[in-house]
């Protein structure tokens, strides 16, 4: 929120300097109490009603997106704003991927969708038509997983709407990169540094596993990121002293794991484990960088109810809820765990989807679900190469058809000789 407010002020300053009528700079989280606003499509009727007659374009930015306003206006003038336009920096899939429901399986690279970090723009004629469509036809998809791909699909509408038009001046290079000289937009790193990283001893790590994966997945955790954790426990349906694992008395389920997750939440607040400010819950096939997570947590306060990770949505077009998807790692402040358990929130069955049940509870409590694009529910192969190129990722998930140890060292290790870095403030900035 603080970064978005700074971006808003900076854009208005730029407009004043170039003697432009001040643009409306909206902060998406502050427009209404509707949880689905971040998924943008439910907001289209509001945008059409508010700006449909007096504006030409709506530009969508991330809070990390830098804008050279005079250059951006010059580029937009090249397009006839009376027509339907969908502008951005195109991404494509090299292979069909689960996060896009294996769309375009025969030729995944044919479909282009925008890199949100570079910004993307819709002309008002397109906004107005889509707004009527949203009002006339309820949004069909139950799940919001990868918004940039889903929005492009909705606009394209099986060939009935416009495809994404590539604009080379919408960039994701860093602002000082020589390659960015022609760019109207550039991108700050997605890993903000707000102070010293939180202490290693202040994160309690809970790894969910089960007996059948004790010899297959747990050894990968031990070979990769376990050594980065000061406080870590493995929770299973079978107590194995050689690992060791803790049996929480919850039988293993093939899916969902809600019972196990809630047992972990209760244990975190109990006297059975050291008192810490942060709880990280991961799967046994999650790959994660704890030093990078500690750096990110410098931007958050544990005395606030923080829930952090990769945000998905369910039923957002019909008043649904957001949730942190479990595979990429779910991060909770102590205050968030306290409020969740004090509310009486619980599983409707042991095999209910834990991440979605938690999302429902957080939504009922009015507590925020905070998204970071650095957490990933899938493997690096499941994301566009250019999208990952401007990230400092914190996590990936799944071992399917990959060498997880090699993936960890390629994507999540900052120094080949040391996977347990204790970053200094300057060290982090230099590294990023």
């Amino acid at each position: 929120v603080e970064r978005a407010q700074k971006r808003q002020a900076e854009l208005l300053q730029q407009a004043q300097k170039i003697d432009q009528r001040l643009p409306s700079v909206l902060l998406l989280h502050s427009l209404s109490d509707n949880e689905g606003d971040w998924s943008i499509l439910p907001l289209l009727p509001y945008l059409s009603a508010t700006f449909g007659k007096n504006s030409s374009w709506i530009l969508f930015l991330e809070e990390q997106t830098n804008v050279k306003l005079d250059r951006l206006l010059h580029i937009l003038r090249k397009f006839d704003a009376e027509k339907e336009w969908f502008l951005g920096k195109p991404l494509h899939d090299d292979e069909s991927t689960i996060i896009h429901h294996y769309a375009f399986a025969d030729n995944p690279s044919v479909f282009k969708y925008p890199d949100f970090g570079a910004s993307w723009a819709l002309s008002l004629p397109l906004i107005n038509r889509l707004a009527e469509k949203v009002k006339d036809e309820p949004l069909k998809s139950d799940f919001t997983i990868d918004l940039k791909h889903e929005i492009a699909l909705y606009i394209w509408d099986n060939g009935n709407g416009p495809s994404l038009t590539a604009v080379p001046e919408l960039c994701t290079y860093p602002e000082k990169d020589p390659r960015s000289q022609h760019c109207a937009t550039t991108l700050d790193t997605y890993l903000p540094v707000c102070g010293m990283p939180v202490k290693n001893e202040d994160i309690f790590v809970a790894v969910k596993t089960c007996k059948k994966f004790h010899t297959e997945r747990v050894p990968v955790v031990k070979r990769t990121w376990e050594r980065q954790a000061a406080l870590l426990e493995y929770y299973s349906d079978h107590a194995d002293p050689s690992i060791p694992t803790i049996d929480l008395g919850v039988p293993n389920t093939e899916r969902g794991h809600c019972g196990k997750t809630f047992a972990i939440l209760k244990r975190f607040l109990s006297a059975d484990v050291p008192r810490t400010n942060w709880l990280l819950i991961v799967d046994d096939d999650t790959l994660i960088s704890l030093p990078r997570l500690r750096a990110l947590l410098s931007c958050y306060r544990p005395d606030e109810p923080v829930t952090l990770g990769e945000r998905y949505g369910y039923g957002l077009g019909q008043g649904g809820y957001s949730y942190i998807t479990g595979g990429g790692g779910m991060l909770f402040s102590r205050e968030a765990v306290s409020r969740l358990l004090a509310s009486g929130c619980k599983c409707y069955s042991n095999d209910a989807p834990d991440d979605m049940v938690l999302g429902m509870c957080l939504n009922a409590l009015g507590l925020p679900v905070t998204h970071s694009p650095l957490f990933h529910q899938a493997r690096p192969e499941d994301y566009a190469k250019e999208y990952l190129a401007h990230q400092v990722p914190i996590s990936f998930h799944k071992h399917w058809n990959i060498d997880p140890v090699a993936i960890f060292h390629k994507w999540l290790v900052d120094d080949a000789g040391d996977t347990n870095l204790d970053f200094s403030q300057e060290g982090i900035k230099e590294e990023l």
Side-chain angles (χ1 to χ4, degrees):
V1 171
E2 288 177 12
R3 297 180 97 192
Q5 289 167 341
K6 288 177 183 174
R7 183 70 63 211
Q8 182 184 47
E10 181 212 349
L11 284 166
L12 294 173
Q13 280 181 340
Q14 283 193 57
Q16 284 179 322
K17 285 181 181 176
I18 58 176
D19 294 324
Q20 282 289 325
R21 184 166 60 89
L22 292 185
S24 296
V25 184
L26 309 178
L27 304 183
L28 209 58
H29 70 278
S30 65
L31 295 185
S32 78
D33 293 329
N34 177 22
E35 175 59 32
D37 282 358
W38 66 265
S39 64
I40 294 173
L41 295 178
L43 264 183
L44 292 177
Y46 164 81
L47 296 175
S48 174
T50 309
F51 304 104
K53 293 180 180 176
N54 299 319
S55 299
S56 300
W57 298 92
I58 293 189
L59 183 79
F60 297 88
L61 311 174
E62 303 287 278
E63 61 268 25
Q64 296 90 347
T65 310
N66 306 300
V67 181
K68 292 182 177 173
L69 197 55
D70 52 350
R71 196 170 292 177
L72 176 69
L73 292 170
H74 176 72
I75 290 158
L76 290 178
R77 289 189 192 105
K78 297 177 182 178
F79 298 90
D80 181 355
E82 299 296 316
K83 296 182 178 178
E84 292 190 359
W85 290 103
F86 175 26
L87 309 179
K89 176 191 173 185
L91 298 172
H92 69 270
D93 297 332
D94 288 320
E95 55 186 71
S96 61
T97 169
I98 187 171
I99 61 169
H100 297 155
H101 306 292
Y102 300 108
F104 305 96
D106 293 337
N107 184 9
S109 65
V110 71
F111 186 71
K112 306 298 191 291
Y113 54 99
D115 190 329
F116 281 0
S119 81
W120 53 289
L122 302 178
S123 62
L124 259 297
L126 178 56
I127 289 268
N128 293 335
R129 181 175 65 79
L130 293 176
E132 291 303 314
K133 182 182 174 187
V134 169
K135 285 191 282 189
D136 294 342
E137 305 170 25
L139 295 166
K140 294 175 184 174
S141 177
D142 287 335
F143 288 93
T144 301
I145 292 175
D146 186 12
L147 184 63
K148 54 190 177 294
H149 191 270
E150 289 155 22
I151 281 180
L153 276 177
Y154 188 82
I155 293 171
W156 177 64
D157 190 21
N158 291 308
N160 295 313
S163 299
L164 180 69
T165 296
V167 178
E169 294 87 355
L170 300 180
C171 308
T172 52
Y173 299 124
E175 195 169 19
K176 296 180 181 178
D177 192 303
R179 295 171 295 177
S180 73
Q181 291 179 357
H182 72 290
C183 296
T185 62
T186 54
L187 189 66
D188 291 339
T189 172
Y190 263 120
L191 181 50
V193 180
C194 305
M196 292 302 293
V198 304
K199 293 179 181 177
N200 214 0
E201 308 78 50
D202 218 7
I203 304 176
F204 188 87
V205 183
V207 182
K208 295 184 297 181
T209 188
C210 61
K211 185 177 181 181
K212 68 177 179 179
F213 292 131
H214 285 189
T215 56
E216 181 183 331
R217 295 180 180 177
V218 170
V220 173
V221 179
K222 289 186 171 291
R223 286 183 62 191
T224 54
W225 60 269
E226 184 198 75
R227 72 193 74 173
Q228 298 175 348
L231 300 166
L232 179 147
E233 289 184 342
Y234 294 92
Y235 298 109
S236 180
D237 56 342
H238 174 72
D240 182 344
S242 69
I243 293 175
T245 59
I246 295 170
D247 182 355
L248 292 169
V250 179
N252 188 55
T253 52
E254 286 300 312
R255 57 185 183 182
H257 312 302
C258 193
K260 184 182 292 182
T261 295
F262 272 76
I264 291 169
L265 295 175
K266 290 171 185 172
R267 182 173 172 85
F268 174 71
L269 293 184
S270 75
D272 295 331
V273 298
R275 182 183 175 91
T276 59
N277 282 332
W278 300 100
L279 169 65
L280 172 67
I281 301 179
V282 295
D283 293 348
D284 52 9
D285 57 350
T286 302
L287 299 169
I288 194 163
S289 167
L290 293 185
R292 293 179 187 174
L293 177 62
R294 289 166 48 213
L296 179 62
L297 287 181
S298 69
C299 297
Y300 297 93
R301 292 176 48 178
D303 58 348
E304 294 180 351
V306 178
T307 305
L308 179 67
E310 184 178 17
R311 178 182 55 192
Y312 281 7
Y314 181 76
L316 293 177
Q318 295 90 34
Y321 58 90
S322 304
Y323 63 96
I324 298 299
T325 180
M330 298 185 288
L331 199 286
F332 304 91
S333 65
R334 173 168 288 273
E335 179 66 14
V337 176
S338 297
R339 292 206 202 176
L340 277 167
L341 294 182
S343 73
C345 171
K346 58 186 178 182
C347 307
Y348 53 83
S349 66
N350 276 339
D351 67 348
D354 51 354
D355 46 8
M356 296 182 73
V357 170
L358 287 167
M360 282 189 277
C361 294
L362 291 165
N363 186 58
L365 289 167
L367 299 181
V369 170
T370 303
H371 174 66
S372 169
L374 305 181
F375 295 78
H376 301 88
Q377 173 68 12
R379 311 163 303 157
E381 285 81 349
D382 293 309
Y383 300 88
K385 287 188 178 76
E386 285 206 34
Y387 174 68
L388 292 181
H390 56 71
Q391 281 199 354
V392 185
I394 284 175
S395 70
F396 292 103
H397 179 227
K398 296 288 186 193
H399 294 174
W400 183 67
N401 276 2
I402 61 167
D403 176 348
V405 176
I407 291 292
F408 174 77
H409 284 281
K410 177 179 179 180
W411 289 98
L412 298 169
V413 174
D414 295 281
D415 183 292
D418 188 1
T419 59
N420 195 15
L421 297 178
D422 190 8
F423 289 142
S424 67
Q425 177 74 7
E426 286 306 309
I428 296 175
K429 289 180 177 174
E430 189 175 332
E431 186 67 41
L432 299 181

